[in-house]
Amino acid sequence: MTYYNTRPTRKKTMPPEDPPPVMRGLGDLIERITEKTGIKAVVEKVAEKTGKDCGCGERRDKLNKAMPFGDKS
Amino acid sequence: MTLTRTCCCGKCYFGARSTDADATACLHNKTEVLELRIPRPSYAYGVGVISYSDCDCAGEYQTRTQCDASDTIEVDYDHFHPEDRTYTWFYEKPSDGNIWPPCTSPCCGYDDASPGFNDAECCNSGLQCSTTYRQYTGLAASRLQQQIIEDGSVPHLGNDSDAEDCEYGDAYWFLQDVANHDTAHRYRHWIVVSGAVTETSTQNLEQTMLCVVHKEKWWERGYNSLNQSDNPSASDSDDAASNCRTPKYWVFACSGVPLYSWEIKQLSSLTTQQQDDVIIAIHNGDPIPENLADILEQDGILVAKDHERVDGKIIEKTLRYLNNDAGGADTTETAYFYARPGGWTYVCPGFSSSTAVDLAADFPQIPRRYDVACDYGSDNNCFTASPLPGNDCECAFTGGPGGDCDPCAGLIGCAPGVLSACGGTSDIYCMEDVIVGNCKGVWVQFSHYYKNLATDSNEYECGVSNDGYICRVMPGGTCEFGSLPDEIGHEIPTEVSESVRNGNTANGALCCGGEGTYERGTAQCPALTPDAADCDDPTNWGPNV
């Protein structure tokens, strides 16, 4: 353990170990971005509190269908 | 900055030496408080690209998260000690892995280049090691360790033109004259065997070091301005503040003093039972009973003070050894050493799964900068100077035909919460906090980069740069902002640094002037990246709290 003093000490967050999941389409890309920003978690929290679905899942699936990235396997 | 060189009672030296003007002495009592402030200005970050091609909304949109300004986060910290003492005692053992410098570094040190020694071989098999310095086991240290202990600045490995030397500063100078102490001087040594303190064979000086002891002053979080409107998912306002946002405790450590087994047994005024209690506590990783550490301080064994020496060494030790150069004569001499630097650290609210029990039983020997619930990567800590949680954040966009074609639909009004993911070569966000502190307080600078997805050139931009600070405030007083650290080192994430060096990101797009990083294997090494836009001066600096 190193103390912070007048010599700058770096604290950096590390990248996640797990590989990113395969993206099925644009909807998943948008969902991934919102996950990174933290928006997704809060949207779901709000939906839980209000009892009103934000429609993210439906919107994601719709976008995936409209703009699939294609099967690369 | 000029700080007094007087050595009256109550001074807390926190540097390696008394001649370092920025790290000499503090004066603590139980009435001073800490005030933490983190402004939350408006900001926007992130660029997402969405293209519609098969409907009335056909077109390309660029989205981002936009947040209005929120109230400044303000947290007050009051003096803390379970028994209302001013100071407590904290120690680290060599076997904890932090007392000696690392044996190897992927960024710097001595590899196969001239003069031909290799630190990794040294650490593994004892080949090509330092001929003068040793590890705490008595085995030879590496050349890297020797350089760190003697100088603190180590040249980088290989021929990477964009790598920089590693700077350890004076963090390990306290091992000078310890890790290379004369091996003809043999010290008596006591260890714990089957729960009992037992004398073993004589050892080198470094082998008899039980731990390095720091005197520490603690503050506990009291008032905080965050409430459940800032964090609706929290169960109460304290959770709102503690949810990976602000530490439960801040700690200031005075300079560390090595403690040797023979000092306890041969030089202290402790009773035999008390001597054994101290040695067994350290062996078990338990707190040293404070009253016994106090006695060791009164005996002059755990003291760092200004001796007005030219070299600034602030630890005076009475060495007692058997001198093999004089037929094993029982010898006593006085010697001076640098101290292990102290400074600031913090303790998270959830440092264990049973916090209250562990605090009562283990204080102050509890983990630092670690929270069981906050996942900030390997450091897993609970503190950032980011302007989050941001209220009234929303998804904003440009492009497309407009009207009912809103790529943000379903996201409007959603706050971003606390950022929890970062970094890596494939991620679009990178962020970091850099913290510096001195006797008067702490300055922490947060920076956040994002990849501009609207371009195809791995271009990064500074999304948010924010400054938080902590002031030590005396009763009725104000923060002495002019006494806070006035320089901070900003390091640019690897992928951003590479982007600059590859010509994809302009210097002016970066958050602050500073060094880049160079990825060598899995290590983040210092690298040469030109200074970026200067934002070294906090915008919310002073004059009053």
Side-chain angles (χ1 to χ4, degrees), chain B residues 25-45:
Chain B
C26 295
L27 182 61
H28 288 142
N29 56 42
K30 293 186 285 188
T31 60
E32 63 201 6
V33 300
L34 300 182
E35 181 154 321
L36 165 66
R37 287 199 168 199
I38 303 173
R40 290 185 290 175
S42 62
Y43 64 94
Y45 67 92

Side-chain angles (χ1 to χ4, degrees), chain B residues 235-416:
Chain B
S235 59
D236 57 39
S237 61
D238 191 60
D239 282 347
S242 66
N243 185 14
C244 304
R245 199 64 195 81
T246 60
K248 182 74 172 177
Y249 304 95
W250 277 95
V251 181
F252 189 85
C254 310
S255 304
V257 182
L259 177 61
Y260 301 94
S261 67
W262 49 268
E263 288 183 296
I264 297 170
K265 279 293 185 182
Q266 294 182 279
L267 302 181
S268 78
S269 61
L270 296 172
T271 66
T272 301
Q273 183 59 56
Q274 289 172 330
Q275 294 168 1
D276 291 355
D277 288 346
V278 172
I279 293 173
I280 290 172
I282 296 169
H283 174 81
N284 293 336
D286 297 332
I288 301 174
E290 289 175 318
N291 63 312
L292 303 187
D294 290 345
I295 294 174
L296 293 174
E297 181 185 35
Q298 292 157 13
D299 290 339
I301 293 172
L302 292 182
V303 176
K305 69 177 185 180
D306 189 358
H307 297 283
E308 300 192 6
R309 293 171 55 87
V310 174
D311 60 14
K313 291 179 177 177
I314 55 177
I315 295 177
E316 180 187 86
K317 286 283 189 185
T318 298
L319 304 180
R320 184 171 177 182
Y321 53 87
L322 305 175
N323 188 354
N324 282 350
D325 286 337
D330 191 345
T331 305
T332 298
E333 69 168 298
T334 299
Y336 293 86
F337 301 87
Y338 293 115
R340 185 183 190 223
W344 295 90
T345 188
Y346 54 83
V347 172
C348 297
F351 59 83
S352 77
S353 56
S354 56
T355 304
V357 173
D358 291 342
L359 179 65
D362 300 331
F363 172 86
Q365 296 295 136
I366 55 182
R368 314 300 170 89
R369 305 200 301 260
Y370 176 83
D371 191 298
V372 294
C374 300
D375 185 10
Y376 277 5
S378 58
D379 210 7
N380 209 27
N381 51 58
C382 60
F383 178 58
T384 172
S386 67
L388 299 173
N391 299 321
D392 301 322
C393 294
E394 62 180 11
C395 172
F397 74 96
T398 57
D404 293 333
C405 301
D406 183 0
C408 290
L411 299 179
I412 290 176
C414 299

Side-chain angles (χ1 to χ4, degrees), chain A residues 1-16 26 30 32-34 36-39 42-43 45 49 54 59 63 66-67, chain B residues 50-51 65 90 92 98 167-168 216 253 340 342-344 369 378-379 381 383 407 414-416 422 424 427 429 431-433 436-437 491 517:
Chain A
M1 194 271 297
T2 303
Y3 294 106
Y4 297 118
N5 50 37
T6 48
R7 183 170 161 265
T9 305
R10 188 179 189 204
K11 174 175 78 80
K12 186 188 180 189
T13 46
M14 302 299 290
L26 181 60
I30 294 173
R32 186 176 169 197
I33 293 173
T34 55
K36 294 295 182 188
T37 63
I39 290 173
V42 179
V43 171
K45 277 290 177 192
K49 281 183 173 296
C54 69
R59 173 179 161 78
L63 286 168
M67 295 195 66
Chain B
I50 300 175
S51 296
T65 299
F90 173 76
E92 287 191 277
N98 299 317
E167 297 293 340
Y168 290 85
E216 287 187 341
R340 185 183 190 223
W344 295 90
R369 305 200 301 260
S378 58
D379 210 7
N381 51 58
F383 178 58
C414 299
C422 172
D427 278 319
Y429 295 104
M431 53 191 170
E432 62 178 349
D433 286 282
V436 295
E491 294 193 40
T517 52

Side-chain angles (χ1 to χ4, degrees), chain B residues 71-86:
Chain B
D71 293 339
T72 295
I73 296 171
E74 180 179 325
V75 186
D76 293 338
Y77 290 85
D78 302 313
H79 169 70
F80 172 79
H81 187 281
E83 297 171 7
D84 203 32
R85 291 164 50 106
T86 300

Side-chain angles (χ1 to χ4, degrees), chain B residues 515-533:
Chain B
E515 298 174 344
T517 52
Y518 179 86
E519 194 165 80
R520 187 183 178 99
T522 58
Q524 310 292 312
C525 302
L528 297 174
T529 294
D531 285 352

